[in-house]
């Protein structure tokens, strides 16, 4: 499957064996490192490229997509090609389009 777009909700991982909480600076200020992986990925999109080959967020985002439980899959209507919208356990979503 080819990843077309990913718009996931905050990446708090809720594994049964290990529950991690998001870390925030003690001052209450939000830094780019505290953003969820899906948002950090979207911030990197520009008019020249969807993502950089060396973007460190890509590995974290793909790990989130692999480890999060899928709760539902819906076929997106319209067009001539199959597109699937997957909803994850933490209510995040990703759009996948199979390659020929």
């Amino acid at each position: 499957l080819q990843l077309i777009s990913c718009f996931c909700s905050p990446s708090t991982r809720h594994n049964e064996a290990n529950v991690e909480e998001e870390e925030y600076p003690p001052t209450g200020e939000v830094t780019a490192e505290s953003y969820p992986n899906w948002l950090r990925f979207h911030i990197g999109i520009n008019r020249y490229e969807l993502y950089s080959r060396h973007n460190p967020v890509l590995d974290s985002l793909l790990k989130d997509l692999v480890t999060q439980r899928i709760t539902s899959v819906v076929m997106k209507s319209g067009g001539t090609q199959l597109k699937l919208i997957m909803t994850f356990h933490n209510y995040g979503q990703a759009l996948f389009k199979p390659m020929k």
Side-chain angles (χ1 to χ4, degrees):
L1 293 180
Q2 177 184 17
L3 176 63
I4 298 299
S5 178
C6 176
F7 42 97
C8 305
S9 60
S11 62
T12 52
R13 296 181 196 107
H14 294 283
N15 296 337
E16 293 169 10
N18 183 15
V19 177
E20 298 178 10
E21 294 183 21
E22 293 185 40
E23 294 183 20
Y24 295 99
T27 59
E29 295 178 15
V30 178
T31 63
E33 291 79 28
S34 67
Y35 292 164
N37 291 323
W38 65 268
L39 181 56
R40 292 172 55 195
F41 175 80
H42 278 278
I43 289 171
I45 295 173
N46 60 53
R47 67 185 200 172
Y48 303 108
E49 60 188 358
L50 180 60
Y51 60 90
S52 170
R53 288 182 175 194
H54 308 292
N55 187 345
V57 175
L58 191 58
D59 288 336
S60 300
L61 178 64
L62 290 174
K63 183 178 177 187
D64 287 348
L65 290 173
V66 169
T67 58
Q68 292 179 10
R69 192 176 313 152
I70 297 172
T71 58
S72 69
V73 177
V74 177
M75 186 171 62
K76 187 169 173 55
S77 62
T80 59
Q81 297 178 342
L82 175 68
K83 295 178 237 25
L84 303 174
I85 300 175
M86 300 178 164
T87 304
F88 296 96
H89 188 263
N90 69 350
Y91 305 106
Q93 293 184 324
L95 174 67
F96 284 88
K97 178 180 160 187
M99 291 179 60
K100 288 185 176 185

